[in-house]
Each structure stands twice: as C-alpha cells, then as structure tokens.
Amino acid sequence: MAKFVLAGRADCPYYAKAELLADYLQKNLPNFRIHKIIQHPHVWEEWLEDLCEKNKWSHRNSPIIWRELLDRGGKGLLLGGYNEFLEYAQLYYGVTSSMTTELMKIIAQENLEAHIEKELQEEVRKDLVNPLQVWITSASVPACYSLIPILVSGEVFGMHTEMSINLFDKEQAEEDLHLLMTETRNLVAPLLRSVSVCTRVEEAFRQAHVIIILDDSADREVYTLEGCIRSRLPLCRLFGQLIEKNAHDSVRVIVGGKTFVNLKTVLLMRYAPNVAHNIVAVALGVEGQAKAVLARKLKTAPSTIKNVIVWGNISGNNYIDLRKARVYRYESAIWGPPNYSRPVLSLIFDREWVNGQFVATLKKLTETGKQFGSILAAHSIATTLKYWYQGSPPGEIVSLGVLSEGQFGIPEGIVFSMPVKFENGTWVVLTDLKDIEISNQMMTRMTSDLIQEKLVALGDLISFQSYQSEYKDRMYSDLIQDEEKDLVMPDMVGFSDVTPLTISENPYNQAPINDSEGKTMEEQ
C-alpha cells in the first residue's frame, strides 16, 4: 500500500493542485492513501523547519510531500514538492493535473478560509474542555455577590463560554467565601463549570484568564493620607508578582472600586510588566453616575445618554466632559429614527446648572462614595468586561483607565481615564476625536494628584500636597471663565474637579482610618 502525507500552507495554490490530484488517486486506486496536513501561513515556515530538522530533510517551499513506508508515524521517505509529486503520479499511475492557475488560486483562498474556520471551531471546542478561569479578589465584599450572577448569565463572555470562578480572599474570610460558593452553585447556571475558594497566597491566580480586583474590606487603622496611599503598595506588589508567576500569558486584569483605582492599577502594571497592556481601570461607574444626573435634568432614561467622557482620576480629580454627549429617543417636538440623537448640551439651557449643581452633585458623589454601591460596581465591571470580549457598541465612546503614552498631552506613566473603544478583543484610545482639547490648567489639576500618589506610594515623595488647596475656588472660577471665552452655551462643558476626600483619604482628618490593603495577603 502506498501511503503519502501531503502538507502545505493553507493559502498555497500548489498545495491546492496537489491536493486535488491526491484526492483523485485515492478515490480511484484502492491501494493509494493520502493524509493531509494544512498549516496557517503565519506558522508554516516554523512548522516546516521543525519537520525537516526532525527528519533531516532539506525542503523550503509549500507543499512538502513524503511517503510513509509503515503506518502513519513510521519512518518517512521525502518525495519533494508539487513538481516531484506530479512527476511521480505521471510515472507510476499515468495521471496528471490540468488545473488552471486561476482555479488554483480560487481553491487556495477557499482552503485558507476553511482552515481559519476550523481553527475557530477548535478554539470553541477547547473552551468547552478548558473553561475560562475567572478569579475575583476580596471576594467576600458585597460587590462580588452582585457580580457573580451577571458573569454566569452568559451576557459578559458569550452564551457558549463556560467558566470556573475562583473566589480569593484572606483566610479570615474563608467562612464567608464558602457560603458564597454554595450560593453560586445553587444558581445552577448552565455556563458555570465550577466554583472554588482560595485563601493560600501562593495558589492565587493559577492559569487565570480574567482577574477582577475589588476594593478590600477595611480592618486596619491608618492615620494619614500618605499612610493610606503607601498601604496600597504591598498588596499591589504581591498581586503583580502572583499574576506574573501564575496567570495565563493572555490574562486580562480589571481594577474596580471607589478608592485609589488609578493608583492600584499603575502599581499592578509596575509589578506585572509582561501583562501591563492588559490591566485596566473601570470608569463606567462614574460615567453612569453622570448620565443619571443628566437624565434627571432632562427627564429621560440614563440609558439614552451616550458618549459622556470621564477624564483623569476615576476616584478623585476628574473632568466630566459633555462636549460629545448625545441623547437618543428624547421626547420633544423633534423626532427621528432610533439612531437619531441630539447633543446633550443643546437641550440644557441652564448654564448655571451645568457649571454649578451638576458639578456639585458629582463632586458630592465622588467625595462620599455612598451611592457607589455593590450593584453599580458590579455592573460597571461586568459591562467593561463585556465590551472587552465582545466589543463596544459601534460609534459609542467608552471611558477607561489606561496607562498614558502621552495621548492628549497627558504625562506618560500614569493611569488616566480617557475615551476608548473596544474591538477585536482589545481597546483603542480615540485619539482622533475632534474638539476635545483640555486646557493646561485643567490637565495639571487632574494629573498632579495622580503623579503625587504614585510617588508617595513608591517612597519617592514624603508628603502629599493637594493641588487645589487654597486656590480651589479661584482656579475653578478661572477655568469656567476660560471655557466661556471660547464656547457658547450649547457647547458649554460641565466638569467635576474633586480630590479624594472620603473618610479614608482626607489628609486633614487625623482620626484613625480603617484600611486593610497592604496588610491582608502579606501577613498570611
């Protein structure tokens, strides 16, 4: 019996011609058998090199054809490429190929498309065999209870992606974790393969595909803002090292919460440099709060408002930019199709409200954090993950905290919330947006705290000095006046300029501050 192996590049026209000839021989000759191996163009050269090195052959082009003297896997005898195979078929079997060059190219393209489709199907099959590994830190906090039902619903990762959820927290929370594990199992979610509890630091993030960093529970007293900032470093350093050591190479890390979100994200990037491009901070919670305030003013639903941009420090000094914001399905004298929208600022005629009450309301929400509860935190994280895996709505602007590379004049090396879009499993900063320039004063105001937080955390700065301090009211007034010089009422920009002054972050409050980050895992 003659048994041949035909291997080639998926888009190779000569492979297509040899394949057709081999199929004909196999169909018409009882003792002729062919085994096909097709490789993607991106991996073909490396695969061919390894094959030739293993068998001590010399061959450079596609296809490569050899004869197996025993069953597949036995010692092979190199025949050569397409020309050698055609000559062999003519000499031994009296058969040749009359395929035209044009047909060869068409079949080669079809082969490539079929191979890509097969690879995608194989990836789906692997996902069924090896579920997505999702790790949640500080899993005993309320936000985790709200997050899990959304994750297992199929809305985030897709209706065909099974997952295993790993609940990670300090040892003292083990009882709560087991209760949560039982409740999660009782959901009987079709996409949930398993749930596990982890309190051993060295086991954290094993083969993790997704890591969700939640705010930790508070059990440590910190007396100063600088102490509170520095307490973030040990835990972020530990998590970063564990991510580098244990997580999957393509792991995606998403940092949520309402305290020092940008700082924790940049510290994780520092200690997990190999996956830094896949570590982001969630800004959709702040964006959602702004949309809700606008919706109450416009007497519409928050979901109808799009393209509100959050610039800066997600949990501190930020700028809520309404210049691109639009409202859909707004009830007014002007109606249009479902995709018809109107600028938000053209519908708010009260400039004092935009510059006063709107700013003050958002400032109060950020300072207190009281309305940034577990439901909002969970929904913001889940929505960001959904966009990351499935893409954001076409044409829609999304706010995300990412590492600055100098876009929009933002200093490099800090995590800064800015406009992005999600597509093809990644995010892209929307640097091509028009008319979103930010003044130097505003930029300095937003970046100063972020730079200082990073320096204090790393020990390069002793004390934190809030940029606004005694000049806050004057600077705020100046900024409003500067905007009014260039912008008429419909284009007026509302913004929030707040510093982190919650009970755990107020530099002027000398009362003990409860805080646990920096202690939790390292003391175990």
Side-chain angles (χ1 to χ4, degrees), residues 21-91:
L21 177 59
D23 286 342
Y24 176 83
L25 293 173
Q26 180 169 254
K27 181 179 179 180
N28 292 278
L29 299 175
N31 292 325
F32 186 95
R33 292 291 179 267
I34 187 73
H35 173 66
K36 304 172 190 175
I37 301 175
I38 189 167
Q39 296 290 342
H40 194 282
H42 293 164
V43 301
W44 164 254
E45 290 186 4
E46 182 179 353
W47 182 88
L48 179 62
E49 183 179 346
D50 291 342
L51 175 71
C52 292
E53 182 178 348
K54 177 182 177 182
N55 292 280
K56 306 207 178 329
W57 293 338
S58 177
H59 191 85
R60 296 179 179 274
N61 303 316
S62 172
I64 180 173
I65 305 163
W66 69 92
R67 181 175 180 179
E68 289 187 346
L69 303 181
L70 302 175
D71 199 355
R72 190 193 324 164
K75 182 174 176 57
L77 179 64
L78 179 64
L79 181 63
Y82 166 73
N83 290 330
E84 290 79 9
F85 182 60
L86 184 61
E87 183 179 332
Y88 181 91
Q90 289 175 329
L91 180 63

Side-chain angles (χ1 to χ4, degrees), residues 18 24 108 131 142 145 165 168 297 375 477 497:
Y24 176 83
Y145 285 76
I165 293 180
F168 179 47
K297 177 67 174 178
I375 295 177
S477 175
D497 58 314

Side-chain angles (χ1 to χ4, degrees), residues 10 74 157 171 213 241 264 297 306 381 387 414 430 442:
F157 303 112
E171 190 173 349
I213 309 291
Q241 293 169 349
K264 289 185 289 189
K297 177 67 174 178
K306 310 292 184 183
I381 292 169
Y387 290 167
I414 60 174
L430 298 176
M442 178 64 72

Side-chain angles (χ1 to χ4, degrees), residues 198-410:
C198 178
T199 57
R200 293 171 57 85
V201 173
E202 62 272 15
E203 298 295 326
F205 311 140
R206 292 283 185 192
Q207 294 303 307
H209 298 105
V210 176
I211 299 174
I212 300 170
I213 309 291
L214 299 179
D215 273 337
D216 204 353
S217 55
D219 62 1
R220 181 181 181 183
E221 291 185 348
V222 180
Y223 286 84
T224 65
L225 174 62
E226 290 79 9
C228 193
I229 292 173
R230 292 188 186 104
S231 71
R232 267 62 186 173
L233 178 65
L235 190 62
C236 290
R237 178 173 56 212
L238 177 64
F239 281 1
Q241 293 169 349
L242 289 170
I243 291 170
E244 285 278 300
K245 179 182 177 183
N246 295 340
H248 194 275
D249 292 340
S250 60
V251 65
R252 304 181 188 191
V253 183
I254 186 165
V255 183
K258 57 185 178 182
T259 57
F260 295 105
V261 176
N262 298 56
L263 174 63
K264 289 185 289 189
T265 305
V266 78
L267 291 177
L268 285 172
M269 292 175 176
R270 181 182 180 89
Y271 294 107
N274 290 327
V275 297
H277 61 287
N278 266 0
I279 304 177
V280 301
V282 178
L284 290 185
V286 178
E287 187 179 307
Q289 289 178 326
K291 290 178 179 178
V293 175
L294 291 169
R296 286 196 295 271
K297 177 67 174 178
L298 294 172
K299 295 181 173 58
T300 187
S303 61
T304 64
I305 299 176
K306 310 292 184 183
N307 300 344
V308 172
I309 302 174
V310 179
W311 297 92
N313 192 344
I314 296 166
S315 50
N317 266 325
N318 53 47
Y319 170 14
I320 308 301
D321 192 343
L322 305 182
R323 286 173 290 185
K324 296 296 181 181
R326 304 189 72 86
V327 59
Y328 293 76
R329 303 190 303 277
Y330 186 67
E331 295 185 9
S332 66
I334 303 175
W335 282 83
N339 61 348
Y340 174 73
S341 65
R342 301 174 66 184
V344 166
L345 290 172
S346 70
L347 299 173
I348 300 178
F349 302 100
D350 189 349
R351 179 181 300 182
E352 292 185 0
W353 181 88
V354 173
N355 299 329
Q357 187 176 342
F358 176 67
V359 172
T361 301
L362 293 178
K363 172 186 172 183
K364 183 177 180 181
L365 292 175
T366 306
E367 282 184 352
T368 63
K370 291 181 179 179
Q371 293 190 32
F372 196 96
S374 61
I375 295 177
L376 179 57
H379 184 267
S380 303
I381 292 169
T383 303
T384 304
L385 277 173
K386 176 184 176 181
Y387 290 167
W388 205 346
Y389 273 84
Q390 303 183 42
S392 53
E396 188 169 323
I397 300 172
V398 180
S399 300
L400 186 71
V402 300
L403 187 66
S404 170
E405 297 179 352
Q407 307 97 323
F408 308 108
I410 302 167

